[in-house]
């Protein structure tokens, strides 16, 4: 049985500065999304430009585990049913319902012919032929035993593998250089926070502040609680409750002031605050 792992940002999460997260994700499946640079409609990245979107989840089945039991190979990550599944790299989506033992399967075909596959989904979220960028949500995880779309899964998880242009299944972790580099966020230029900015923020908080959720660019209570812990270094004295308010954002502005922000420390995040923060979050050490 695969263990459960509650996803960050799947429940009633708040988004800063009035961003509607559902609209954000819905838009990412239809047209290019400038905020954070997630969607590159018609211009998918190369297959080697992939990252591990599940690094915050426990691995419950390694590549070798699969090979040892006669599988063609794959990696399993435990997570609660309904967890959003970000694309490991840019490409074009194809949904395969009831794909044998793999159950509901999403395939993302990259521009050079490599294909990413996720198996045991509970729901598809974008239509066949949709161009999705790195980090764009493509479906919801499943895997509960006996549930529609679970295939032969015995517990909630996602199965991930990569397929070469020749049709050989390979370990995606061998193609991302031990984790892969996250893209830089365009928030540094346009002052509009988006999924890539939040992916980089989550990775920073994973490195520095004990964040253990997914690097999915969808902030929720776990992301915000880790941010509040880190903001102790910047004068935040409020509770670590995962509900950011003016005191949390004032501390973020103090951090941003070290990276070119010259506005007031008033706890109201605007484009200039986000630009300063993103100059920090775009540093190579958070790739």
């Amino acid at each position: 049985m695969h263990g459960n792992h509650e996803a960050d940002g799947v429940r009633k999460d708040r988004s800063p500065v009035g961003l509607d997260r559902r609209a954000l994700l819905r838009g990412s499946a239809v047209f290019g999304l400038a905020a954070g640079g997630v969607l590159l409609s018609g211009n998918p990245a190369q297959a080697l430009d992939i990252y591990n979107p599940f690094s915050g989840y426990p691995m419950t089945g390694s590549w070798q585990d699969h090979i040892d039991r006669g599988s063609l190979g794959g990696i399993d990550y435990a997570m609660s049913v309904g967890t959003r599944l970000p694309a490991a790299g840019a490409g074009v989506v194809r949904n395969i319902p009831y794909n044998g033992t793999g159950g509901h399967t999403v395939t993302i075909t990259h521009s050079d012919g490599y294909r990413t596959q996720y198996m045991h989904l509970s729901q598809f979220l974008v239509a066949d032929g949709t161009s999705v960028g790195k980090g764009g949500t493509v479906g919801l995880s499943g895997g509960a035993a006996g549930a529609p779309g679970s295939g032969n899964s015995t517990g909630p998880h996602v199965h991930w593998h990569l397929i070469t242009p020749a049709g050989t299944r390979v370990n995606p972790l061998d193609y991302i250089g031990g984790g892969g580099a996250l893209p830089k966020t365009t928030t540094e230029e346009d002052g509009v926070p988006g999924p890539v900015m939040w992916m980089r923020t989550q990775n920073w908080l994973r490195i520095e502040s004990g964040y253990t959720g997914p690097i999915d660019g969808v902030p929720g209570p776990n992301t915000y609680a880790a941010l509040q812990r880190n903001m102790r270094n910047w004068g935040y004295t409020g509770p670590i409750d995962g509900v950011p308010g003016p005191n949390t954002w004032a501390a973020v502005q103090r951090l941003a002031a070290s990276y070119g922000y010259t506005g007031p420390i008033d706890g109201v995040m605007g484009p200039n605050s986000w630009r300063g923060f993103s100059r920090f979050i775009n540093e190579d050490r958070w790739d």
Side-chain angles (χ1 to χ4, degrees):
M1 175 70 72
H2 296 277
N4 289 337
H5 184 101
E6 182 176 343
D8 184 20
V10 219
R11 301 184 294 123
K12 296 178 181 177
D13 302 338
R14 294 177 50 191
S15 292
V17 298
L19 288 179
D20 184 327
R21 288 171 43 253
R22 285 174 295 183
L24 186 69
L25 292 171
R26 186 166 57 248
S28 72
V30 179
F31 50 85
L33 212 166
V38 168
L39 265 201
L40 303 171
S41 181
N43 183 29
Q46 295 298 305
L48 290 182
D49 184 17
I50 64 173
Y51 79 110
N52 182 356
F54 311 120
S55 60
Y57 296 103
M59 182 186 293
T60 54
S62 69
W63 186 265
Q64 192 59 48
D65 290 338
H66 283 78
I67 298 300
D68 289 347
R69 63 174 180 257
S71 162
L72 293 176
I75 310 169
D76 293 336
Y77 290 93
M79 58 186 66
S80 298
V81 171
T83 300
R84 290 183 177 88
L85 302 176
V92 177
V93 171
R94 181 190 171 214
N95 302 313
I96 310 173
Y98 301 103
N99 183 29
T101 59
H104 290 346
T105 300
V106 161
T107 302
I108 305 166
T109 300
H110 307 289
S111 62
D112 57 2
Y114 280 81
R115 288 172 286 159
T116 292
Q117 282 197 328
Y118 302 151
M119 291 181 166
H120 312 302
L121 276 67
S122 61
Q123 186 176 339
F124 301 114
L125 290 186
V126 299
D128 284 354
T130 300
S131 292
V132 64
K134 181 192 292 187
T137 303
V138 295
L140 302 180
S141 69
S150 288
N152 70 344
S153 174
T154 59
H157 76 291
V158 66
H159 170 108
W160 177 31
H161 61 253
L162 192 67
I163 301 173
T164 70
T168 302
R169 193 183 293 193
V170 294
N171 186 346
L173 299 184
D174 292 339
Y175 286 73
I176 59 177
L182 292 173
K184 303 294 186 182
T185 176
T186 59
T187 306
E188 183 174 341
E189 287 78 43
D190 60 25
V192 181
V196 172
M197 189 208 78
W198 283 111
M199 286 165 61
R200 296 187 65 86
T201 298
Q202 288 167 328
N203 199 43
W204 158 54
L205 295 171
R206 175 187 65 81
I207 294 168
E208 286 209 333
S209 301
Y211 173 68
T212 59
I215 310 299
D216 62 359
V218 183
N222 291 338
T223 301
Y224 293 137
L227 179 66
Q228 289 170 324
R229 284 194 294 273
N230 194 285
M231 289 302 98
R232 294 287 195 217
N233 301 319
W234 298 94
Y236 176 66
T237 58
I240 308 300
D241 60 3
V243 182
N247 291 336
T248 302
W249 299 120
V252 172
Q253 287 174 320
R254 282 189 283 273
L255 184 160
S258 297
Y259 289 82
Y261 172 62
T262 58
I265 307 299
D266 59 3
V268 180
M269 296 292 286
N272 290 333
S273 299
W274 289 117
R275 286 189 187 99
F277 174 71
S278 292
R279 279 190 282 274
F280 162 73
I281 215 65
N282 262 345
E283 292 185 339
D284 290 347
R285 56 184 167 150
W286 314 129
D287 286 357

